[in-house]
């Protein structure tokens, strides 16, 4: 995997490096170290799903994940967040039918909604979580795991 697999936008005024799209064909994707934000639909969308990616690894530089960033990665089984992620936006995992569990990074304090299929059964939440809407984690037969 090399940097030509990623479409990246640099915003100098804000020191922001946005991953706009992944165009590679690897099953395991390691986001480049300089990226600070993952843009909406960076890996797939509802018109063109991604049926290749199985694992995504975020470096410590990623702080923000926009809405639907990983949406429709139908084979995604694992995502490794760094501990520095500050925000994960709405519908981040919609259409990720192979994802069974996720560990919420420790800096995330609010979960508004977390849509997923019935196979998505484990959500490891952190001790800093301050607010979760009533139905955000609601699913039949869900195992809620608190702490690390």
């Amino acid at each position: 995997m090399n940097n030509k697999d990623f479409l990246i936008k640099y915003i100098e005024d804000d020191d922001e490096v946005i991953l706009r799209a992944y165009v590679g064909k690897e099953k395991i994707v390691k986001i480049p170290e300089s990226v600070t934000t993952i843009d909406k639909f960076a890996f797939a969308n509802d018109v063109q799903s991604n049926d290749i990616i199985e694992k995504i690894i975020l470096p410590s530089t990623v702080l923000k994940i926009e809405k639907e960033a990983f949406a429709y990665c139908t084979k995604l089984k694992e995502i490794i967040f760094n501990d520095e992620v500050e925000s994960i936006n709405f519908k981040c995992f919609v259409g990720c039918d192979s994802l069974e569990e996720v560990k919420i990074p420790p800096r995330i304090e609010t979960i508004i909604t977390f849509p997923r299929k019935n196979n998505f059964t484990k959500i490891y939440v952190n001790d800093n979580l301050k607010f979760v809407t009533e139905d955000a984690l609601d699913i039949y037969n869900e195992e809620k795991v608190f702490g690390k």
Side-chain angles (χ1 to χ4, degrees), residues 44-101:
N45 60 54
D46 59 347
V47 175
Q48 181 75 34
S49 64
N50 183 311
D51 60 357
I52 297 171
I53 297 173
E54 294 179 3
K55 180 177 182 178
I56 298 174
I57 304 167
L58 280 67
S60 61
T61 55
V62 173
L63 302 176
K64 184 166 58 170
I65 300 167
E66 296 294 352
K67 72 178 188 171
E68 301 172 308
F70 310 112
Y72 304 102
C73 288
T74 59
K75 302 289 184 192
L76 182 64
K77 295 178 184 174
E78 183 178 11
I79 183 156
I80 300 176
F81 290 106
N82 69 62
D83 287 347
E84 304 305 313
V85 173
E86 296 172 349
S87 70
I88 300 173
N89 281 299
F90 183 65
K91 294 186 179 180
C92 189
F93 299 110
V94 69
C96 294
D97 298 340
S98 297
L99 193 61
E100 295 179 2
E101 65 181 56

Side-chain angles (χ1 to χ4, degrees), residues 10-142:
Y10 297 90
I11 301 176
E12 292 180 27
D13 294 344
D14 295 334
D15 290 330
E16 190 171 11
V17 179
I18 302 170
L19 173 59
R20 300 282 308 205
Y22 172 72
V23 294
K25 301 292 182 198
E26 300 293 326
K27 288 183 179 184
I28 299 174
V29 177
K30 186 171 182 184
I31 310 273
E33 281 293 325
S34 60
V35 171
T36 59
T37 301
I38 299 177
D39 208 0
K40 61 185 175 185
F41 297 119
F43 291 92
N45 60 54
D46 59 347
V47 175
Q48 181 75 34
S49 64
N50 183 311
D51 60 357
I52 297 171
I53 297 173
E54 294 179 3
K55 180 177 182 178
I56 298 174
I57 304 167
L58 280 67
S60 61
T61 55
V62 173
L63 302 176
K64 184 166 58 170
I65 300 167
E66 296 294 352
K67 72 178 188 171
E68 301 172 308
F70 310 112
Y72 304 102
C73 288
T74 59
K75 302 289 184 192
L76 182 64
K77 295 178 184 174
E78 183 178 11
I79 183 156
I80 300 176
F81 290 106
N82 69 62
D83 287 347
E84 304 305 313
V85 173
E86 296 172 349
S87 70
I88 300 173
N89 281 299
F90 183 65
K91 294 186 179 180
C92 189
F93 299 110
V94 69
C96 294
D97 298 340
S98 297
L99 193 61
E100 295 179 2
E101 65 181 56
V102 71
K103 181 180 176 186
I104 304 296
R107 296 181 103 181
I108 301 297
E109 296 180 352
T110 302
I111 298 175
I112 302 298
T113 185
F114 217 85
R116 63 219 179 272
K117 299 259 185 201
N118 285 343
N119 62 320
F120 197 158
T121 56
K122 292 182 183 176
I123 299 172
Y124 297 88
V125 297
N126 64 65
D127 295 333
N128 296 325
L129 200 59
K130 294 181 178 157
F131 180 76
V132 179
T133 58
E134 186 175 335
D135 60 348
L137 303 177
D138 209 15
I139 191 168
Y140 181 71
N141 284 337
E142 179 181 19

